[in-house]
């Protein structure tokens, strides 16, 4: 299994993975729209020996109180059913975090299962007085600090880019 940054030829295989991994096509359409709008900050793939994408993590810009703070959101994260339970999701997340850190990003936000993401060092956004516009997400909204001062003197609303409002 090779874990690397996505390249153009991965798009169709990523689309297939997302369509297989989720109950609707919303995540596949979201990634396609992010890519078309130039809002895909980073895509990390896990490929088999034939180049088939078996895991994917997408990162796109988010704002804090409508201001760019060099924060990104993780969504979606997908692992093919045939290789689940082998730690591939963890490897994708860590590879993404390492790459984003190298590029100087300050924080990563995720809206997902708190038990799953706290294992990687994510913590509740609510404890930093951070929230998003969607109701009932207090437990699911998690943040990960890349820069030491990422959460100093910050509170307010984390905003996702427009494509997230369409799906």
């Amino acid at each position: 299994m090779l874990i690397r940054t996505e390249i153009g030829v991965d798009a169709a295989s990523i689309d297939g993975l997302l369509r297989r991994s989720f109950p609707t096509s919303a995540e596949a359409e979201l990634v396609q729209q992010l890519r078309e709008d130039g809002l895909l900050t980073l895509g990390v793939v896990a490929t088999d020996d034939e180049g088939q994408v078996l895991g994917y993590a997408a990162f796109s810009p988010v704002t804090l109180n409508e201001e760019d703070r060099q924060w990104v959101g993780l969504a979606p994260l997908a692992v093919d059913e045939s290789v689940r339970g082998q730690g591939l999701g963890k490897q994708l997340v860590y590879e993404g975090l390492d790459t984003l850190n190298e590029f100087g990003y300050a924080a990563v936000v995720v809206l997902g299962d708190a038990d799953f993401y706290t294992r990687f060092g994510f913590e509740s956004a609510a404890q930093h007085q951070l929230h998003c516009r969607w109701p009932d997400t207090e437990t699911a909204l998690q943040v990960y600090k890349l820069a030491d001062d990422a959460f100093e003197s910050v509170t307010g609303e984390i905003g996702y880019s427009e494509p997230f409002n369409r799906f």
Side-chain angles (χ1 to χ4, degrees), residues 14-33 76 163 166-167:
I14 290 167
D15 187 74
L17 170 68
L18 295 173
R19 291 180 188 279
R20 289 190 311 274
S21 299
F22 294 98
T24 71
S25 63
E27 283 80 4
E29 292 170 19
L30 171 65
V31 168
Q32 181 178 359
Q33 191 64 56
R166 299 179 198 159
F167 302 100

Side-chain angles (χ1 to χ4, degrees), residues 117-118 121-128 141-145 151:
Y117 288 102
T118 56
F122 282 83
E123 54 191 28
S124 168
Q127 78 182 36
H128 298 286
L141 189 64
Q142 306 283 306
V143 291
Y144 184 94
K145 175 173 60 172
F151 303 141

